[in-house]
Amino acid sequence: MLVGSANADDAGVYRISDDMAMVLTADFFTPIVDDPYWFGAIAAANALSDVYAMGGKAMAAINIAALPGSEDFREIKKSIGQGGFDKMTGAGGPIIGGHTITDKEPKLGDAGLGSITPGRNLDKTKARPGDGRGLTKKIGTGMLATGVQARRRRAGTA
């Protein structure tokens, strides 16, 4: 193990050989947008971003989902799946399977797999004062989405 839970990173890194290590991650959350397609795409992007943050290359992912089992949710499930599939396939890390359970509140995520050369990972222990940062979205986006979600729950609309 090159990077484990002691680092407080969003992914782990495990050495396979002298020239190959695997980046492993999982992300899982409730909907932060109303559009099912984009919910699937955002879930996939979150798993991909953990692999990229470590300096890795996306290889594959497995979906993890808790979704309503009702017939009227069938088309929504298809759209969620398509969003995740499109995002992962476009990044070169196809979804190769997954597991779904029935739950009244939708939850979706991915377990992502990437590759990296050992010692080239960008874990938090390597950060130094003055290092540059690359932001892919505005700071606080997650907090805003969580706040909107909480408000919807209190209002009974989510």
Side-chain angles (χ1 to χ4, degrees), residues 28-100:
F28 194 70
F29 51 90
T30 56
I32 59 171
V33 293
D34 292 331
D35 185 301
Y37 178 89
W38 286 109
F39 178 40
I42 290 167
N46 277 351
L48 286 167
S49 70
D50 292 350
V51 171
Y52 296 150
M54 298 300 278
K57 177 183 180 236
M59 293 178 65
I62 295 176
N63 275 142
I64 306 163
L67 301 170
S70 62
E71 282 296 316
D72 58 336
F73 205 78
R74 185 177 303 252
E75 287 303 312
I76 293 171
K77 285 181 188 178
K78 286 181 185 177
S79 185
I80 290 169
Q82 190 65 53
F85 177 83
D86 290 350
K87 181 62 71 177
M88 284 290 187
T89 302
I95 294 173
I96 58 174
H99 187 76
T100 303

Side-chain angles (χ1 to χ4, degrees), residues 7-157:
N7 284 38
D9 277 290
D10 288 338
V13 179
Y14 187 84
R15 182 191 304 264
I16 300 296
S17 67
D18 288 343
D19 59 347
M20 168 78 74
M22 308 312 295
V23 180
L24 301 165
T25 187
D27 247 318
F28 194 70
F29 51 90
T30 56
I32 59 171
V33 293
D34 292 331
D35 185 301
Y37 178 89
W38 286 109
F39 178 40
I42 290 167
N46 277 351
L48 286 167
S49 70
D50 292 350
V51 171
Y52 296 150
M54 298 300 278
K57 177 183 180 236
M59 293 178 65
I62 295 176
N63 275 142
I64 306 163
L67 301 170
S70 62
E71 282 296 316
D72 58 336
F73 205 78
R74 185 177 303 252
E75 287 303 312
I76 293 171
K77 285 181 188 178
K78 286 181 185 177
S79 185
I80 290 169
Q82 190 65 53
F85 177 83
D86 290 350
K87 181 62 71 177
M88 284 290 187
T89 302
I95 294 173
I96 58 174
H99 187 76
T100 303
I101 63 169
T102 301
D103 194 354
K104 60 184 173 186
E105 182 178 10
K107 298 167 193 75
L108 180 64
D110 289 284
L113 173 67
S115 64
I116 192 166
T117 302
R120 304 226 31 199
N121 49 290
L122 303 173
D123 62 89
K124 291 179 182 178
T125 66
K126 293 184 173 79
R128 299 290 178 258
D131 283 353
R133 292 176 203 90
L135 302 177
T136 59
K137 56 189 170 191
K138 293 179 181 179
I139 293 177
T141 303
M143 288 175 35
L144 289 171
T146 300
V148 168
Q149 240 178 348
R151 242 187 335 252
R152 286 182 182 166
R153 280 195 199 101
R154 281 194 302 273
T157 59

